[in-house]
Amino acid sequence: MTALAIGEVLSRPEPFSAVPFTSVVVLTGLAALLNRVMARDRQQLKDAREVAETVQRAVLPTLPDRIGPLDVAVRYRAAEKEAAIGGDLYAIRPTPHGVRLLIADVRGKGLGAVRTVNALLGAFREAARLPELTAMVDCLEERAQEFKAEEGSAESFTTAVIVAVSADGSELHMVNLGHPAPLLVQGGRARPLDPAVPSLPLGLGDLGRPRVPVERYPLPPGATLVLFTDGLVEARDRNGTFYDPVPFLSRPLPSSPGAVLDDLLDDLARHTGGPLGDDAALMAVTRRQNASENG
C-alpha cells in the first residue's frame, strides 16, 4: 500500500518540482520501516512455528510399532495458518488387562493447551492400570477438574475416545466423550462406531454427567481401528465441503496401519488442495492375523 502511495505521488501530472520533497522522504522512510516490520514478523512467525512443532513432538509420546496383539501407527499434521501449539493428543499403554488407547482434543491452543495435554497424558498413564473403562473415565475426569481449578479455566474441556482392547485383541470396549467417532475398517468397508448415547467431554462432568455408557465391538483378525481428531473431518475443499474419510477407507488398503494413515493423509491433501485449517492427530491399530504374535 505504501509503494502504491509513493507511485501515486510520483505519477501526478505536475512537474516533480511541485511535489513537496519532504513528502517523498516521509513516504520512502515509512515504506522502509514497514518492510523491516513485515520481515521481522515473518521471521517471528517462522520461529514460533518451529518452536510449536518442537514442543508438540516433545509432549506427545513415541509409540512402538507393536503392542500386544496390535500393530500401531500414529501421525500428526499441524495447521499451517497458525503458529500456536495445538491440543491434540494420543497415547497407548499395555496393561495386564489388555491395551488401552486414548485420542483426545483439548479446547484451545497455546501453552495452556500444552499444559492440559501433559496433565491428561500423566493421568492416562495412571488410569490405564485400572481394569474397568468407567473407572478410567472417572480418573481422567477427576484430573481434568483438578487442572481446571489449578489453571482457573472454568471453560476448559477435552473431547476424547478411550478404548480398552482385550488381552487377545478380539474385543474393543469404547467410551466416546464428545469426540468424532472412530472407524472400524475391515474387508473393504469402513464403519463409524458412533456411540448410542452421547456423553459430555472431559472437564464438563461437573455439569451432571451420568455414568458413561461403554460400547463393545468385535475386532476380527486383520481389522483396523482408525481414530482421529476433528482436524481431519473438518478439513474443507475449495467449495467448503468437509472431508469424509469413509469412502477412501472403504476400499482395498495396505495391511500396515502406518501405510493406511499415510494414504489417508495423501487423500486428505488432495481434498483440501492446501494446508489444514486445524491440527489433526491420527491413530490406527490393526489386529494381527496371527493373534499369538504378540509384541
Side-chain angles (χ1 to χ4, degrees), residues 7 14 87 98 121 137 140 148 158 188-189 203 222 236 240 249 253 264:
E14 294 89 348
L121 287 173
V137 174
L140 288 167
K148 281 174 60 175
T158 301
R189 180 188 175 211
R236 301 172 184 253
L249 293 174
L253 296 170
L264 180 61

Side-chain angles (χ1 to χ4, degrees), residues 11-294:
S11 62
R12 289 174 181 171
E14 294 89 348
F16 182 76
S17 59
V19 178
F21 180 72
T22 54
S23 297
V24 176
V25 172
V26 169
L27 290 173
T28 303
L30 180 59
L33 176 62
L34 287 176
N35 284 336
R36 284 198 297 271
V37 170
M38 291 173 66
R40 182 196 64 194
D41 288 347
R42 284 193 297 267
Q43 184 60 45
Q44 288 178 342
L45 181 59
K46 177 177 180 293
D47 293 343
R49 281 178 177 156
E50 291 175 353
V51 170
E53 291 172 0
T54 300
V55 171
Q56 199 74 53
R57 286 194 297 269
V59 169
L60 293 177
T62 301
L63 303 179
D65 296 333
R66 285 188 169 194
I67 298 180
L70 306 174
D71 290 332
V72 177
V74 292
R75 298 290 185 268
Y76 194 97
R77 291 292 181 270
E80 296 186 23
K81 71 176 183 178
E82 298 183 51
I85 304 166
D88 300 45
L89 67 138
Y90 49 72
I92 303 181
R93 298 286 291 181
T95 79
H97 314 290
V99 181
R100 304 296 188 248
L101 317 176
L102 169 69
I103 192 160
D105 189 358
V106 176
R107 179 179 182 269
K109 289 182 177 290
L111 293 179
V114 171
R115 288 193 292 268
T116 305
V117 167
N118 194 50
L120 289 175
L121 287 173
F124 177 74
R125 284 192 292 270
E126 296 298 319
R129 303 173 182 176
L130 300 171
E132 298 296 330
L133 199 52
T134 52
M136 290 179 59
V137 174
D138 291 343
C139 181
L140 288 167
E141 178 64 36
E142 181 180 356
R143 183 66 187 105
Q145 293 292 339
E146 291 173 354
F147 192 77
K148 281 174 60 175
E150 293 168 5
E151 294 287 300
S153 178
E155 298 179 354
S156 176
F157 65 85
T158 301
T159 66
V161 169
I162 308 165
V163 182
V165 184
S166 61
D168 64 357
S170 65
E171 190 174 35
L172 306 172
H173 293 190
M174 183 181 301
V175 168
N176 189 321
L177 305 172
H179 198 80
L183 300 173
L184 184 60
V185 181
Q186 182 194 17
R189 180 188 175 211
R191 176 168 64 100
L193 302 183
D194 294 301
V197 180
S199 294
L200 291 172
L202 292 170
L204 298 181
D206 54 339
L207 299 181
R209 179 202 291 143
R211 195 105 177 127
V212 294
V214 178
E215 311 282 345
R216 290 172 171 81
Y217 306 96
L219 183 64
T224 299
L225 181 69
V226 179
L227 308 98
F228 45 86
T229 56
D230 60 9
L232 178 76
V233 291
E234 292 183 358
R236 301 172 184 253
D237 65 9
R238 66 177 63 184
N239 298 317
T241 303
F242 290 114
Y243 179 70
D244 181 2
V246 171
F248 179 80
L249 293 174
S250 297
R251 64 180 69 182
L253 296 170
S255 59
S256 162
V260 170
L261 292 186
D262 289 336
D263 290 351
L264 180 61
L265 287 170
D266 288 343
D267 189 60
L268 174 66
R270 286 190 290 270
H271 177 82
T272 62
L276 293 180
D278 193 9
D279 297 356
L282 299 89
M283 175 192 299
V285 295
T286 300
R287 183 186 173 194
R288 289 193 293 279
Q289 292 285 352
N290 186 346
S292 65
E293 297 178 0
N294 288 357

